Amino acid sequence: LCAKRIYMKNWEDFTFIQKAAIGISIVLVAAFAPEIALLVQFGGIEVAFAFLLVAFQPIMTWLNRFYAHIKNTASVAVISLRHSNSAKPSVFALQATFCCLALALTGSGIFAFSFFMPGMLLNGVMA
């Protein structure tokens, strides 16, 4: 059995890009949380970065919930569109025919696309 070793990296073990990312994030947050300077002074960069992670955890939780809500809404919309009668070839062909006919007769794209609305509202009847 091989157990994973969890260890904390020292500041010297980070690459230049990792150090730059941590430094830039601390400088950006210092505008909103001036106590970060005191933490850097007394505790070091590791303590300051740990404080940032703890302080901004509620924002990250909110962003995760917002992302999950958007993802769920988009998946419901895609599923609804797939199972809609408007996605069936016969209904779509009828709606597209009306739209093309209106565009040819009137020359107005807005008027032509307005022919899609009755088809979407009455798609249960047309199926």
Side-chain angles (χ1 to χ4, degrees):
L1 295 173
C2 181
K4 287 186 178 181
R5 289 186 56 184
I6 299 174
Y7 62 94
M8 195 165 147
K9 281 185 159 184
N10 290 330
W11 178 252
E12 293 82 22
D13 296 337
F14 287 132
T15 64
F16 176 74
I17 294 172
Q18 290 172 330
K19 287 179 183 179
I22 291 172
I24 289 171
S25 64
I26 288 177
V27 168
L28 289 175
V29 172
F32 302 108
E35 64 271 9
I36 198 92
L38 189 64
L39 287 172
V40 170
Q41 190 71 15
F42 291 122
I45 196 107
E46 296 90 358
V47 173
F49 194 69
F51 170 77
L52 290 178
L53 293 178
V54 171
F56 289 101
Q57 188 174 5
I59 295 171
M60 295 305 293
T61 304
W62 180 82
L63 285 173
N64 283 337
R65 270 191 277 132
F66 182 72
Y67 173 72
H69 177 71
I70 294 296
K71 186 177 174 183
N72 289 339
T73 303
S75 66
V76 166
V78 167
I79 290 169
S80 297
L81 185 63
R82 279 190 194 148
H83 295 291
S84 171
N85 284 332
S86 295
K88 293 181 180 177
S90 62
V91 175
F92 178 76
L94 183 64
Q95 289 176 345
T97 303
F98 277 128
C99 182
C100 291
L101 183 65
L103 185 61
L105 293 176
T106 64
S108 171
I110 304 260
F111 186 68
F113 289 125
S114 68
F115 274 96
F116 276 124
M117 190 54 70
M120 286 186 201
L121 292 175
L122 301 172
N123 62 5
V125 176
M126 292 191 301

